[in-house]
Amino acid sequence: MPDHDLKIGILPSVSRPLLCPVLRVVWGIGGLMCSASAFAQTTPASTATPPAAQSSGTSVTTSTTSVNGDEKIVVKGHKPAGAVLGDAKAIMQIQSDEIRSYGVDTAADLLTAIAPETRSGRGATGNTPVVLLNGKRISGMQEVNDLPFEAIARIEIFTEEEALRYGYPADERVVNIITVKNFRAVRMRAYGSTSTDGGGDDGVLGASFTKLSGERRINLSARYEAQARLLDSDRGVTPPSASGLYSNAGNVTSVSGGSLDPALDALVGQSVTSAGVPSLVAGQVPTLQDFTAYANAPHVSSNASDYSLQPRTHELSLNGVYADQIFKTVSASFNASYTHSNSESLQGPARGILTLPADSLYSPFFQDTLLYRNYTTVPALQHTAHTDTVHAGLNFNGDVGDWKWNSTGSFDRSTTSTNSQTGLDLSAAQTALTSGLGSFDPFSEVDRNWLNSRLVNRGHTTGTSGEVTGLLSGSLFSLPAGDVSTSIAPTGTLTEQNATSLSQGKLQRTHISRDVGTLQIDGDIPIANARKHVLSFLGKLDANINGAISQVSHFGTLGTIGGGVTWEPAPWVQFPFSVTDRTEAPGATDLIAPQIETPNVTTYDYVTGRSVQVTTISGGNRNLQAADRHEISIGTIISPSFLDGARLHVNYVRDRNHNPVMSLPTATAAIEDAFPDRYQRNSDGILDVVDIRPVNALMEKRNEWNATFSFSRPLGKKPEGKGGKHAAGGRYYIVLTQVWRLKDTVQLRGGLPPIDLLNGGTIGGTGGQPRHEVELQGGVFKNGFGFRLVTKWQSATSTLASTHASSLFFSDLATVDTTAFADLGEIPRWQKRSWAKNFRVMVSVSNLFNSRIRARNGLGVTPAGYEPAFLDPLGRTVSISIRKSV
């Protein structure tokens, strides 16, 4: 396919903002539709209302006329309960007995387990899927996350086109969770894990109550998780020194960066710009001769116990959901949740710089000098973060005649406070040294009383958002090939973020409020239908056209337009094709996040070919522009009749993104040339400060194939269960997913060559993008015993520097995860034991062979900070889980 770019610009600004009308429309949908539905129930003429027994399904009427035109057969039926809008075929289905073989606890765990199958190659990478519950929109993931796996009847995965019918962009796949009709359980779970290399312990305690009865749904849950801190010393690795000048004993340099003292130069026979502090008895006055042994040979210290590979974290989550049918055709749900989390990590030894006056008793130099030193008698530098989030959601779903509607409102508030210690405040010690206090020896152990004060960067962010959405979908009119249907989805969002940062005594306050009004319209047009004898030689052919217009404060009017066709020449094969062009505003956090400085962050400087520790500056960038993305997607979905239970989905995506937003954590020559102001070096050319705040690149181009093959079959005949019991029976399954990236380049600035992320380019810390990724999952469940195996592989990557010796080469990575579990109450010998009922014991081993990426430079040496433990601190982990439901 030619590599030209198709692009639409930002739509002209409109004279009247769309937000207020959109909000009024959306806000009125819930009340209007509820009133219409209630009126339909009380009006005698409302005979179209389906009976209660059929309220869980959707009416489907098909008519067929014989070739002679003198016979007409009308077939009436109902869609299965929980079916999605339209008649799209799922690219994958996971039945309840297969879900059991995954060994998961909740719907959230299941979504994590099937993430490779729900991954979309469209839009920004890493998009999470659109999640529906029984074919209906939800107010947030909190509605479904804590559903126990026993309450799930099946999972259906659909292509991105199905998202359009629900008012979402076509860059996310759709997962429909269908629950059982009746279920009740109180669930308790305890989980613990540790690494076989030692440390990194993790523990979870959880409890929930779930009750499903028709449309009524109650779910209350509480969860607490604690993760232990893992230090560099626990893995026997040492980070590179924060600077060539900081050390435990101390190093001295001149204030100007030149020679320390001509007399010392004469003693050594060369210019001396830095020197290590000699080992002296406390109170001993040093001489120039004492520094000759350490001239231009500064001390280097390792403090592995002062750095965290993994932070210490604590998290408490509370969640509640109540849903019920409030009228015959209207259901509603309410959800509220709260999460509190703490994180604490070590950032290296406490450090500071003292100015040693030339006239000081302890200075043999003719001029003022600087003393760089770590102070190990006091605790290491810490970085802490505290986050509180609150969510509330209200959701209505209903029918008006043959049309379906949804209205959702949500409120989210999040507060995050960070404290990052950057060093010691040595002002009191400096005063003592400058005043000539004889008892203060800067080269010996310094009393802790001089080291009590610390330099701290503080940040506080508060984000509040409210969203009201509506959805109206149904059939407009009929064509010979079928009904022309549409979905109209207005959305109004109000977002406000406030950020405060205190860095180096400088207080900064930022504020942004964003109003977004969006109206999305989707239309599905049937063109051919062999079952209705319309262009029968084409089989089934449907077209789609969609568009959206958004009024975004501070960015004006942004537009999206797209379309495509789905061709089904035979019942067992489909060919979806789509084109989308849209403009996207950067996230509010990317614009105004508080500026935070974090010291002692390990990075590899490709310019000099060495690992260094730098101070990173993170935060927002108010100058970010909107991005313009153009995508083409072509797919094939095959469900061969000769292989029951098998599905193959192959998809090709071509993505062109103008002005993409990205961070720049790695210093390569190409990146530093494009953004020279983002990298600061000291007088010796050593990288010292990296500004990783987001920027707009010029262009990103990406082409990829992704494919999923799934095969699932029952083991023996599945017996009839009672009350949702899953005793006996069994199933096995295999799922193979692969991603093959054909092209992935980023051009940072006009006039600069693109960075090829597949051939030695990088904008990250572990090389570019792997060209190939493969994951194979397999599982089996029978007679109470289950086993699951997950293998993953990704190809090697590299980052090419200006010289081969400075380049980095990262190995491929293959990992194997295994899970074995037993549902004790379903094991034949224990089926009658009351204590064993709904009792599960599970043992898992992640990264069974303790595999890690190996990094080497062009000389075959692993740079400091790139040892395997830095790239994967935990390695192999073993976990055990005990779960009981009553």
Side-chain angles (χ1 to χ4, degrees), residues 126-138:
N127 277 357
T128 55
V130 172
V131 176
L132 309 174
L133 184 63
N134 296 318
K136 300 175 182 178
R137 287 174 50 140
I138 56 177

Side-chain angles (χ1 to χ4, degrees), residues 265-555:
D265 297 345
L267 288 173
V268 177
Q270 61 177 328
S271 176
V272 179
T273 59
S274 63
V277 173
S279 178
L280 302 173
V281 177
Q284 181 181 346
V285 177
T287 65
L288 287 179
Q289 185 66 41
D290 294 326
F291 284 89
T292 57
Y294 305 99
N296 289 330
H299 297 294
V300 177
S301 301
S302 60
N303 302 78
S305 60
D306 290 337
Y307 293 88
S308 296
L309 283 170
Q310 174 179 278
R312 176 190 292 127
T313 62
H314 299 270
E315 182 175 287
L316 173 66
S317 299
L318 304 173
N319 189 36
V321 180
Y322 179 80
D324 207 347
Q325 187 166 334
I326 56 178
F327 300 112
K328 183 174 289 187
T329 60
V330 179
S331 60
S333 66
F334 174 74
N335 168 233
S337 65
Y338 168 75
T339 301
H340 173 77
S341 62
N342 293 323
S343 173
E344 176 189 307
S345 59
L346 302 184
Q347 300 290 337
R351 62 181 187 174
I353 304 174
L354 286 173
T355 299
L356 185 63
D359 58 358
S360 171
L361 173 67
Y362 295 97
S363 174
F365 306 108
F366 87 103
Q367 63 176 337
D368 291 353
T369 55
L370 299 177
L371 171 62
Y372 290 77
R373 190 174 176 189
N374 297 330
Y375 297 90
T376 58
T377 59
V378 293
L381 302 176
Q382 292 186 350
H383 176 86
T384 60
H386 309 281
T387 302
D388 290 279
T389 60
V390 176
H391 168 82
L394 185 62
N395 188 29
F396 295 94
N397 287 280
D399 301 333
V400 176
D402 293 333
W403 287 71
K404 293 184 177 296
W405 62 271
N406 167 268
S407 183
T408 298
S410 64
F411 172 83
D412 293 271
R413 181 178 175 85
S414 174
T415 59
T416 300
S417 298
T418 59
N419 291 292
S420 183
Q421 298 176 353
T422 60
L424 294 174
D425 181 357
L426 299 179
S427 55
Q430 184 65 60
T431 300
L433 185 59
T434 303
S435 63
L437 182 64
S439 61
F440 184 85
D441 181 358
F443 298 135
S444 64
E445 182 174 311
V446 177
D447 189 278
R448 293 170 60 99
N449 292 329
W450 298 105
L451 308 174
N452 287 332
S453 182
R454 301 198 170 205
L455 302 173
V456 182
N457 288 341
R458 293 182 170 86
H460 183 80
T461 303
T462 301
T464 304
S465 66
E467 182 177 83
V468 181
T469 67
L471 177 68
L472 186 63
S473 60
S475 175
L476 292 173
F477 54 88
S478 295
L479 292 176
D483 292 340
V484 175
S485 61
T486 186
S487 295
I488 304 172
T491 301
T493 304
L494 306 176
T495 303
E496 183 173 1
Q497 289 205 357
N498 295 280
T500 304
S501 64
L502 179 62
S503 177
Q504 298 180 348
K506 183 179 179 181
L507 180 65
Q508 292 184 334
R509 290 188 174 92
T510 53
H511 167 80
I512 187 172
S513 60
R514 171 177 289 183
D515 306 335
V516 182
T518 301
L519 181 64
Q520 176 174 308
I521 300 177
D522 170 68
D524 296 297
I525 307 169
I527 299 174
N529 193 328
R531 288 178 296 178
K532 296 188 176 183
H533 308 291
V534 179
L535 301 178
S536 300
F537 66 95
L538 290 176
K540 191 173 187 297
L541 181 65
D542 297 317
N544 170 272
I545 185 169
N546 60 88
I549 185 170
S550 299
Q551 181 71 26
V552 183
S553 56
H554 310 298
F555 282 91

Side-chain angles (χ1 to χ4, degrees), residues 570-747:
W572 52 271
V573 62
Q574 285 184 341
F575 299 100
F577 168 79
S578 68
V579 178
T580 304
D581 205 344
R582 62 180 172 272
T583 48
E584 303 168 321
T589 301
D590 289 333
L591 293 169
I592 62 98
Q595 180 175 315
I596 299 295
E597 294 186 13
T598 305
N600 303 341
V601 178
T602 299
T603 188
Y604 186 78
D605 184 358
Y606 289 93
V607 176
T608 61
R610 60 184 294 184
S611 293
V612 293
Q613 283 197 336
V614 300
T615 296
T616 61
I617 301 175
S618 60
N621 179 2
R622 280 188 172 273
N623 298 319
L624 294 176
Q625 303 174 22
D628 185 5
R629 185 183 297 274
H630 175 72
E631 289 178 322
I632 297 176
S633 175
I634 305 172
T636 302
I637 305 171
I638 301 174
S639 303
S641 57
F642 60 85
L643 190 59
D644 186 34
R647 286 181 177 84
L648 174 65
H649 179 212
V650 180
N651 196 55
Y652 169 79
V653 176
R654 178 183 181 273
D655 182 11
R656 300 294 180 264
N657 192 8
H658 301 258
N659 298 323
V661 176
M662 58 183 60
S663 297
L664 304 172
T666 304
T668 66
I671 295 177
E672 196 166 348
D673 287 345
F675 300 94
D677 58 321
R678 293 304 186 101
Y679 302 91
Q680 299 179 25
R681 298 180 180 273
N682 62 20
S683 57
D684 296 325
I686 298 175
L687 192 63
D688 193 32
V689 179
V690 177
D691 188 342
I692 63 174
R693 288 176 293 180
V695 297
N696 284 110
L698 179 67
M699 169 71 81
E700 180 182 17
K701 298 181 179 181
R702 183 171 55 87
N703 299 352
E704 74 169 42
W705 286 99
N706 55 73
T708 300
F709 172 77
S710 62
F711 179 68
S712 176
R713 295 289 295 273
L715 284 171
K717 184 178 180 181
K718 184 177 178 180
E720 295 293 333
K722 295 182 179 181
K725 187 176 180 180
H726 294 268
R731 181 174 287 269
Y732 68 94
Y733 75 93
I734 296 174
V735 178
L736 175 65
T737 61
Q738 77 90 35
V739 177
W740 181 17
R741 297 179 178 89
L742 306 175
K743 183 174 188 175
D744 199 341
T745 63
V746 175
Q747 187 174 4

